[in-house]
Structure formats: structure tokens, C-alpha cells
Amino acid sequence: MARPYGLLRAGFPYIKTLGMRRITNFPVDIALGNDERIYVLCRQENAVMIRKYNYMDEDLGSIGGWGTDEGQFQWPVALIADANENLFVSDEALHRITQFDSEGEMLAAWGEHGSNDGQFNRPTGLSFDLEGNILVVDSMNHRVQKFTKDGKFISNWGTHGSGDGEFDYPWGIEIDHNGDIYVADWRNDRIQKFDRDGRFLMKFGMSGQGEGEFNRPTGVAVDKDGIIYVTDFKNDRLQIFYSDGTYLTTLTGDATLSKWGRERVNLEPAMVRGRQRAQGLLEKEKAFQGPIAVEVDDQGRVFVVETSRQRLQIYRKQTANFTGGPL
């Protein structure tokens, strides 16, 4: 496959870090809203919630909380937002999908434990298809299910295994601009691609630590140019691929202190002095730990969610201009 020279020269410079410990409590996913709003799904017992921020790291409130009642979560995994910023959350402990409006009012909840059509066994990844239906990764049933936005079952596909079109505890899911579907096949250490009807198209990845290899991939995103981003959870990195699955590059983290982090440190002179004395601290703080989800926007910004270090690192894709034909 011929690739433009510009894409071969693509870079991903670091922009900034958002969030900090005890505020973004173990984030597991994000959804991007209008006017630079960012919804962060957090997962910590007795503190589970959706935190609302903006790109300037300002706190805009929270939605939901820990528990088993309607509108509460126990083990939330994935978060998506529609054009009206209605939010949908999957909960693998409660085996259900919960819908809120952007102000936090619960609109609906659906799903129950089981393996029949429309039932779940630990639902994880969520994504909208081009028709506005919701695709749900039904992880321990090793399949993908499709529903209307109000929870009416449409179809499902997939079975347990390691062959083409089979899954072993799948996690994240993404739909590209053509309607094709990408699934992070967690225990098979690969990404699988399907058409909108669930027919297998291709796969890439295998177990390992080398380029293009995975150790439990979790999140997957595809930008408007078809570039594929995968959070390689246990390898503590984000890997980036061309649209045909060929390896492009790896990001391992470049974090600096967020706005809140700087404010917190500056409140305590002893903490400032301790950071100044700690050798190699800034270099150690850069690295990803537990990157679990990734999102891209139409501006080319790449948002990487780190659950272990409770923050988001943001990058921007830059592509070199070129003249002439493809290589």
C-alpha cells in the first residue's frame, strides 16, 4: 500500500496534562463534548462519578456516584456522548448501560446479566455507529451487541476463541468515518477490524513488547485520516498504526504537572523543596502508567487516559507538507 510522504513524516508533539490524584480518581475513559468540555469517567469505590472539565482544566461539576441504585455505578468502564451531550456509561459489575443528560439527570438504564440476546456479562467498550445505534462490547460473552439508543436489541456477533472474528475478553471499540468497526481483543493481544455488519476484515498485533505487539490492549481510536491509536495497557504505551495496521510509532509519555498539580505543589513549600532535590523525578513523571483509553478529535488532538497516575496526557498530530507523489 503506497503512503503519502507526509504521513510517513507525521509527528505527535505533547501539549499538556490535565487532572491529578484525588480529583480524577482512577479515570478509565473520557468523552469529548462541545465548547472544549471533557467528561472523565472515574472508577474508585465510594467515589465513582463522571467529572466534567474543560480544556483549561477547570472543574465543571460531577455526575453520578458509587452504588447499585439507578444513576449510580460500581465498575464503570466506558463513556460516550452523542451530539446533544447525552452520556452513556457501561458498568461491568451491574451489567447495564445508564444514560444521563449533560447536567447529570438520569434518562434511562437498561441491561441485565445473562448470555441471551440483549443481556450482558460485564459490558465494556461503547461506540456509536453511523446510524446512531450503540455498539456494546459484551466482554465475558465474547461478542459485540448492537442496540438502539433507547436500549432495544438489534443484533450481535462474535464468539469465544482466537480465530478470525472470535474474541477473548474484548475491551474497547471504535467506529471510523466509513462505519468500519475496530475492537481491542484484550486477551488475544490484537486489534480486529469488521465491516458495519460484523464481517471480519483484518487483524493486526500479537503478544509481546516489540513494535506492533501488545500486552493487553484496551482502548482504540481512529482519526479522520484513518490513523489507528491503541492503548497498550500492560506495556505502558500508546501505539499508533496506519490504516492497514502497519506500525507507525509509539508514545511512552511526556507529562508535566497539570494546572491543579502545580497549584497543589505550590501550597506546600516542603513539597516544592522535595521535588527540587529528587533526582530524575521529572523524567520519571513523564511516563505513562496504565494507559487505558484514547480519544481523538477533529483538530488532531490525541487524549490518553492514564488510570494509574490519574491524569490525561494530550498530544497533537502534525503532518509534514510535501510535494510530489506517493512513495
Side-chain angles (χ1 to χ4, degrees):
M1 175 182 177
R3 298 187 186 87
Y5 180 69
L7 279 184
L8 289 175
R9 294 286 301 277
F12 299 88
Y14 165 80
I15 301 176
K16 66 190 303 184
T17 296
L18 301 182
M20 66 174 287
R21 293 180 187 273
R22 296 187 299 276
I23 297 177
T24 43
N25 294 303
F26 299 100
V28 291
D29 203 5
I30 63 169
L32 304 179
N34 301 317
D35 301 322
E36 303 277 271
R37 278 188 293 276
I38 303 171
Y39 298 88
V40 182
L41 181 62
C42 299
R43 177 171 170 168
Q44 182 179 14
E45 187 172 337
N46 296 318
V48 169
M49 64 185 70
I50 301 170
R51 299 300 297 259
K52 297 191 292 184
Y53 305 95
N54 61 23
Y55 191 70
M56 301 307 295
D57 217 359
E58 296 171 326
D59 188 358
L60 304 177
S62 62
I63 295 171
W66 188 84
T68 60
D69 294 337
E70 288 192 345
Q72 296 179 323
F73 317 121
Q74 281 202 320
W75 292 351
V77 180
L79 172 69
I80 54 174
D82 66 15
N84 296 317
E85 292 189 48
N86 293 311
L87 306 172
F88 298 79
V89 181
S90 64
D91 191 315
E92 63 174 327
L94 301 177
H95 310 287
R96 72 185 181 197
I97 310 299
T98 304
Q99 179 186 356
F100 300 87
D101 68 18
S102 60
E103 298 303 314
E105 180 181 351
M106 197 199 79
L107 302 178
W110 40 274
E112 62 180 8
H113 189 211
S115 57
N116 295 328
D117 292 350
Q119 296 180 328
F120 300 123
N121 192 354
R122 297 204 172 185
T124 52
L126 300 172
S127 190
F128 293 111
D129 68 12
L130 298 189
E131 288 74 42
N133 300 309
I134 297 177
L135 296 182
V136 182
V137 177
D138 188 8
S139 183
M140 290 189 70
N141 282 326
H142 312 286
R143 64 186 180 183
V144 174
Q145 299 205 69
K146 182 189 291 189
F147 299 85
T148 64
K149 285 174 91 171
D150 57 358
K152 293 184 175 61
F153 172 79
I154 298 174
S155 64
N156 58 40
W157 41 272
T159 187
H160 190 208
S162 58
D164 293 349
E166 297 177 336
F167 300 116
D168 197 357
Y169 297 95
W171 189 294
I173 189 169
E174 171 77 316
I175 283 69
D176 69 14
H177 285 66
N178 298 316
D180 292 330
I181 303 163
Y182 301 74
V183 179
D185 193 0
W186 189 77
R187 191 171 284 180
N188 281 325
D189 288 323
R190 65 186 182 183
I191 303 298
Q192 295 198 72
K193 180 180 178 180
F194 303 85
D195 70 13
R196 63 184 65 197
D197 296 316
R199 289 185 289 263
F200 174 82
L201 297 176
M202 74 166 190
K203 62 186 177 184
F204 60 92
M206 58 185 296
S207 299
Q209 299 178 332
E211 294 180 353
E213 298 175 340
F214 299 117
N215 189 353
R216 303 302 186 253
T218 48
V220 57
V222 182
D223 69 21
K224 61 184 179 180
D225 299 316
I227 300 299
I228 305 165
Y229 305 78
V230 181
T231 47
D232 190 4
F233 183 74
K234 289 192 174 182
N235 281 328
D236 291 319
R237 62 188 181 182
L238 179 79
Q239 294 203 72
I240 305 174
F241 301 84
Y242 292 107
S243 59
D244 64 354
T246 302
Y247 172 81
L248 172 57
T249 192
T250 293
L251 303 179
T252 57
D254 297 272
T256 54
L257 285 177
S258 68
K259 184 189 77 170
W260 287 355
R262 289 192 301 273
E263 291 176 355
R264 176 70 179 86
V265 168
N266 291 335
L267 286 174
E268 298 188 27
M271 187 178 294
V272 174
R273 292 192 297 270
R275 289 178 59 84
Q276 291 171 344
R277 290 194 298 267
Q279 295 184 356
L281 176 63
L282 296 182
E283 194 64 30
K284 292 177 181 177
E285 284 185 337
K286 289 182 178 182
F288 291 134
Q289 281 189 7
I292 196 169
V294 58
E295 186 63 78
V296 295
D297 66 13
D298 288 338
Q299 299 181 46
R301 293 182 299 195
V302 182
F303 300 76
V304 183
V305 181
E306 287 182 81
T307 190
S308 299
R309 284 189 155 162
Q310 301 176 47
R311 64 190 182 188
L312 281 64
Q313 293 195 47
I314 305 175
Y315 294 79
R316 186 186 298 277
K317 186 179 77 171
Q318 292 183 341
T319 303
N321 294 323
F322 69 100
T323 58
L327 293 179

